[in-house]
């Protein structure tokens, strides 16, 4: 560990609670790096934790998708897909080309190295943290804040945020997803509140077994990808992003052929033509590169936008019942109170304000630009109709 001796001494003597949130969340991380960051680093932190003189609780933040190869997921640590120690030993002598070849076989029916290594990390926590008081929190798809520090706060393109922005800009027009699949979004402040409450409960009650908390919304307040698409588009039509490429309009489809047709018609062809325009006007072509990056992100996310899961949340409900009325207000993680339409509008506006740093004073100009794009489309439609009539 990259700790000075002085820092290490302070940690060993004075730390009471560990919130282990560090991990790589890149879905396409190569297996060697994912194991190093998500499994071995967890193992090293557990070794350090066992030396801490005043440690009360070790809270490990996992993911609700660690066992996404199961349709129904209980609040338990399941057997790992492979013995983590054997995998770690094997990676020491394998070269990168061999690791890359065997990765698909190793992860099996999991979609990526992220979910695979998070499952291994949970097993490491269970097996090597037997002397510690441990809680595991599993959030689903973490999105913008619900209330704290203020509604809609978000500071990155991770998860669905980048797709929302691409849709608002008119770049994303089609996506492989099921309208009826549950979009298990969870606000970041809900996750934080639940994590703090989990640390409190384990610290006070010291349960005999590891407490696992599925921090999800689908079972108590379901919201579907078709509804997500509707609210994103309607919000960005009312409050457009600056310099939109086209008017926001997204078509979700689970049909393979239809998806590729719309990719060609609504993504690649317009991007190619726009790059020609940029070259003609003496500017650097950039839209095809943008589309390529977007498609890579979509491929990584389509597994989660096309499937639904059922998570047991008995422990989360129990935890909520243990809080005092005052603590329920301060550390609110009751997602039954979440109003999705309001949340999604705040989320979209959050990407505009806090990720893209667009001032609200620019809205009139953005609306004018969007109306101009609509008029161009209407004029083209009228011209085509005239041509057909003639």
């Amino acid at each position: 560990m990259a700790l000075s001796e002085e820092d290490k001494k302070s940690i060993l003597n004075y730390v009471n609670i560990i919130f282990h949130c560090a991990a790589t969340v890149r879905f396409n991380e190569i297996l060697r790096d994912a194991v190093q960051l998500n499994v071995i680093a967890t193992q090293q932190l557990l070794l350090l934790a066992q030396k801490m003189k005043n440690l009360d609780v070790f809270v490990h933040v996992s993911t609700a998708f660690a066992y996404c190869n199961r349709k129904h997921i209980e609040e338990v640590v399941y057997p790992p897909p492979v013995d983590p120690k054997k995998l770690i030993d094997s990676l020491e002598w394998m070269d990168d080309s061999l690791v890359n070849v065997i990765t698909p076989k190793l992860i099996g029916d999991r979609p990526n190295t992220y979910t695979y290594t998070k499952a291994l990390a949970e097993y490491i926590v269970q097996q090597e943290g037997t002397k510690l008081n441990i809680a595991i929190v599993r959030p689903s798809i973490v999105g913008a804040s619900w209330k704290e520090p203020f509604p809609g706060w978000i500071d990155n393109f991770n998860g669905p945020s980048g797709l929302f922005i691409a849709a608002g800009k008119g770049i994303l027009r089609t996506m492989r997803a099921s309208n009826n699949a549950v979009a298990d979004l969870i606000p970041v402040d809900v996750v934080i509140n639940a994590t703090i409450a989990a640390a409190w409960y384990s610290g006070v009650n010291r349960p005999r077994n590891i407490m696992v908390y599925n921090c999800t919304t689908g079972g108590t307040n379901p919201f579907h990808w078709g509804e997500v698409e509707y609210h994103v588009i309607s919000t960005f039509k009312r409050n457009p992003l600056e310099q939109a490429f086209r008017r926001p309009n997204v078509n979700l489809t689970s049909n393979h052929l239809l998806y590729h047709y719309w990719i060609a018609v609504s993504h690649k062809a317009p991007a190619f033509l726009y790059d020609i325009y940029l070259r003609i006007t003496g500017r650097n072509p950039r839209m095809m590169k943008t589309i390529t990056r977007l498609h890579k992100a979509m491929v990584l996310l389509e597994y989660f936008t096309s499937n639904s899961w059922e998570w047991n949340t008995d422990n989360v409900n129990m935890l909520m019942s243990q809080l005092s009325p005052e603590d329920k207000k301060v550390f609110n993680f009751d997602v039954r109170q979440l109003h999705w339409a309001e949340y999604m509008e705040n989320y979209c506006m959050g990407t505009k304000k806090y990720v893209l740093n667009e001032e609200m004073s620019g809205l009139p100009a953005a609306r004018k630009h969007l109306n101009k794009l609509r008029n161009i489309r209407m004029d083209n439609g009228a011209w085509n109709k005239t041509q057909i009539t003639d």
Side-chain angles (χ1 to χ4, degrees):
M1 285 192 178
L3 288 171
S4 68
E5 285 303 313
E6 185 178 352
D7 287 341
K8 190 173 180 180
K9 185 178 179 181
S10 296
I11 288 171
L12 292 176
N13 290 327
Y14 302 115
V15 168
N16 302 112
I17 301 173
I18 291 177
F19 292 101
H20 180 220
C21 310
T24 174
V25 296
R26 290 179 58 189
F27 287 172
N28 59 345
E29 195 80 76
I30 63 173
L31 182 62
R32 187 188 303 281
D33 291 347
V35 168
Q36 177 64 51
L37 295 167
N38 291 349
V39 184
I40 296 175
T42 300
Q43 192 176 41
Q44 291 172 338
L45 185 58
L46 286 165
L47 290 173
L48 185 66
Q50 289 169 1
K51 299 175 184 177
M52 294 181 185
K53 298 176 182 178
N54 298 298
L55 186 68
D56 291 317
V57 187
F58 185 105
V59 182
H60 174 71
V61 179
S62 183
T63 171
F65 298 102
Y67 307 99
C68 57
N69 55 326
R70 298 170 175 266
K71 283 300 181 183
H72 186 86
I73 301 166
E74 301 283 344
E75 291 174 306
V76 299
V77 177
Y78 289 98
V82 67
D83 186 334
K85 292 180 181 179
K86 290 182 179 178
L87 177 60
I88 292 168
D89 290 341
S90 299
L91 290 175
E92 287 184 0
W93 62 263
M94 289 184 191
D95 60 28
D96 289 344
S97 60
L98 180 56
V99 172
N100 292 336
V101 167
I102 67 168
T103 294
K105 286 286 187 181
L106 283 172
I107 66 175
D109 52 2
R110 284 176 170 82
N112 51 50
T113 57
Y114 171 68
T115 57
Y116 179 76
T117 54
K118 292 300 280 185
L120 297 180
E122 284 198 12
Y123 184 72
I124 287 285
V125 168
Q126 182 191 56
Q127 295 298 305
E128 301 190 18
T130 51
K131 296 179 182 179
L132 301 174
N133 185 16
I134 292 173
I136 296 176
V137 178
R138 293 179 183 153
S140 48
I141 303 173
V142 181
S145 64
W146 177 17
K147 296 180 179 180
E148 298 175 282
F150 24 78
W153 177 80
I154 185 78
D155 67 348
N156 58 67
F157 289 89
N158 293 342
S161 303
L163 295 181
F164 293 172
I165 291 170
K169 288 282 189 179
I171 298 170
L172 173 63
R173 300 298 285 254
T174 189
M175 184 174 171
R176 184 178 291 175
S178 171
N179 281 288
N180 297 321
V182 174
D184 214 294
L185 299 175
I186 189 83
V188 62
D189 50 335
V190 168
V191 178
I192 292 168
N193 288 340
T195 302
I196 293 170
W200 162 80
Y201 181 81
S202 286
V204 171
N205 295 282
R206 306 194 69 83
R208 293 177 61 184
N209 299 317
I210 291 178
M211 295 298 297
V212 180
Y213 302 93
N214 286 336
C215 194
T216 61
T217 56
T220 52
N221 190 357
F223 192 57
H224 303 88
W225 285 110
E227 295 172 289
V228 171
E229 179 265 330
Y230 169 79
H231 288 291
V232 169
I233 297 307
S234 61
T235 297
F236 282 133
K237 281 183 176 178
R238 293 192 308 272
N239 304 288
L241 299 178
E242 295 175 7
Q243 296 302 310
F245 178 56
R246 288 174 294 188
R247 282 176 57 78
N249 185 26
V250 178
N251 172 53
L252 304 184
T253 179
S254 55
N255 184 286
H256 180 76
L257 293 176
L258 198 58
Y259 167 74
H260 285 285
Y261 168 78
W262 283 116
I263 284 289
V265 171
S266 63
H267 284 185
K268 293 182 178 179
F272 178 74
L273 293 173
Y274 188 68
D275 278 353
I276 292 175
Y277 164 73
L278 290 175
R279 286 192 179 94
I280 292 171
T281 55
R283 289 175 285 177
N284 291 326
R286 63 178 186 274
M287 193 53 69
M288 281 300 293
K289 289 182 180 178
T290 301
I291 286 293
T292 300
R293 289 199 301 269
L294 176 63
H295 288 170
K296 287 180 179 178
M298 288 165 56
V299 168
L300 295 174
L301 290 173
E302 66 183 32
Y303 177 86
F304 304 97
T305 58
S306 302
N307 294 289
S308 296
W309 291 265
E310 294 179 6
W311 285 279
N312 179 288
T313 55
D314 287 347
N315 287 345
V316 172
N317 295 334
M318 177 279 299
L319 183 61
M320 206 181 309
S321 71
Q322 296 296 309
L323 298 181
S324 68
E326 181 59 30
D327 282 342
K328 284 181 180 178
K329 294 178 182 178
V330 177
F331 302 100
N332 184 18
F333 54 93
D334 185 358
V335 295
R336 292 171 299 184
Q337 301 172 15
L338 183 63
H339 186 255
W340 283 112
E342 180 183 35
Y343 173 74
M344 287 306 303
E345 180 165 350
N346 289 333
Y347 193 157
C348 291
M349 297 309 293
T351 63
K352 178 179 176 69
K353 290 187 283 187
Y354 310 121
V355 179
L356 300 177
N357 296 314
E358 295 183 4
E359 298 290 339
M360 298 305 289
S361 59
L363 265 177
R367 289 179 180 132
K368 187 176 180 180
H369 176 69
L370 207 63
N371 285 331
K372 182 180 177 182
L373 292 176
R374 181 180 63 182
N375 292 336
I376 291 172
R377 182 179 178 186
M378 290 175 65
D379 289 344
N380 287 338
W383 185 84
N384 288 334
K385 188 175 181 181
T386 302
Q387 293 294 104
I388 292 169
T389 303
D390 292 347

